[in-house]
Amino acid sequence: MERERCELADVVGAWARGWARARGVRPVEVRPGVWWARLDAESRREEYVLASPSVADLAVLAAEHRADDRVWVTAMPPPAEVPSGLDVLAHAEALMSRPLDDVGAPFRPGLVAEHLHDDPSVVHVSYRVDDEQAARGVVSVIGEVAVFDKILTEDAFRRQGLGRDVMTALTLEALSRGATRALLVASPEGQALYGALGWSTVQPVHTFAPN
C-alpha cells in the first residue's frame, strides 16, 4: 500500500508541476504529497494539490483558509469522508494518462502553435474559423512527461472533430520535445473523448473550497 501511495504521489506531482507551468506559474511542494501554486486567476487565487489525502489533511487546509473560497483544494483521490469546512466544487473529474507512442490521424491544416509565457516547454495550439477561435489547448513538457491543459472547443464548433485535432497537434508538439507519457485532468464530458483516444483513468479527482 505504501508503495502504491508513493507511486501515485509521483504521478500527481508530475501533473501538478506540468499543470502549473502550463498556467505560467511554478508550484511549491510544501510537504510530501502536497503542492501549492499561486494562480491569481479569475476563478481562484491559489490552489493546493494533494495526493491521497486523509480527512485530517483536508481539515487542516479548511481550518487554515476558513471562508476563503478563492483557495481551491484538489484531492487525487479524495478520502471517503469530506470534513466540515469544505464545499465541493467538482466531484466527477479524473486524472488520466496515456503513453505518447502514436499521434493518430493527421489533423486539419490551420491549427496554429505558439509558445506561452516565453517558455519553450509550453505550447498553445489554437484553431480559428473566420477569425473566431473555435478550439484550443495547451501542453507543458517537463522531462518525459507532457501535461495537457485547457482543452476546449467552443459550443458553435463542437462535434466537428476539432477536439481530436487539437489533441493530435499537442501530441506532436510533446513528442518533438521528448515526452513519452501524458497526463491530464478531464471533466466528465472530456473523459469520453480522451478514452476514445487511448487515455486511461488513474484516479478520480475532487476539488473543494473552504466555506
Side-chain angles (χ1 to χ4, degrees):
M1 180 64 70
E2 185 61 29
R3 180 179 177 181
E4 291 178 358
R5 288 174 60 89
C6 291
E7 290 176 349
L8 177 60
D10 288 343
V11 174
V12 174
W15 175 84
R17 289 187 291 272
W19 160 81
R21 183 173 291 186
R23 298 185 180 221
V25 299
R26 299 298 172 108
V28 176
E29 188 172 9
V30 295
R31 56 184 178 272
V34 181
W35 296 265
W36 171 87
R38 178 95 184 191
L39 298 168
D40 289 325
E42 182 178 352
S43 57
R44 72 276 204 196
R45 183 181 65 255
E46 53 194 284
E47 185 163 349
Y48 289 86
V49 177
L50 292 83
S52 301
S54 65
V55 174
D57 292 330
L58 295 181
V60 167
L61 287 176
E64 289 176 347
H65 301 282
R66 191 182 310 277
D68 189 351
D69 62 3
R70 296 272 292 155
V71 175
W72 287 13
V73 180
T74 294
M76 303 184 186
E81 176 189 349
V82 178
S84 61
L86 291 176
D87 290 329
V88 178
L89 299 180
H91 62 84
E93 296 184 323
L95 176 64
M96 304 185 75
S97 175
R98 68 154 292 180
L100 286 183
D101 55 2
D102 183 6
V103 299
F107 57 86
R108 71 194 71 199
L111 274 82
V112 176
E114 58 186 355
H115 297 303
L116 286 185
H117 322 304
D118 297 321
D119 186 341
S121 70
V122 181
V123 181
H124 175 265
V125 166
S126 62
Y127 183 76
R128 305 184 73 84
V129 176
D130 297 329
D131 207 34
E132 180 179 359
Q133 183 167 261
R136 58 181 170 85
V138 179
V139 66
S140 170
V141 179
I142 300 177
E144 295 184 352
V145 178
V147 174
F148 290 62
D149 189 39
K150 290 188 174 182
I151 313 300
L152 176 67
T153 301
E154 300 296 338
D155 290 345
F157 299 96
R158 291 186 175 178
R159 301 188 182 280
Q160 299 178 32
L162 289 178
R164 183 184 293 266
D165 284 350
V166 167
M167 291 297 292
T168 299
L170 291 172
T171 299
L172 285 171
E173 295 289 343
L175 286 168
S176 72
R177 288 162 175 77
T180 60
R181 183 183 186 189
L183 297 168
L184 59 74
V185 168
S187 66
E189 296 79 10
Q191 289 167 41
L193 168 64
Y194 304 131
L197 295 176
W199 294 72
S200 58
T201 297
V202 177
Q203 290 288 346
V205 177
H206 289 196
T207 299
F208 311 94
N211 58 32

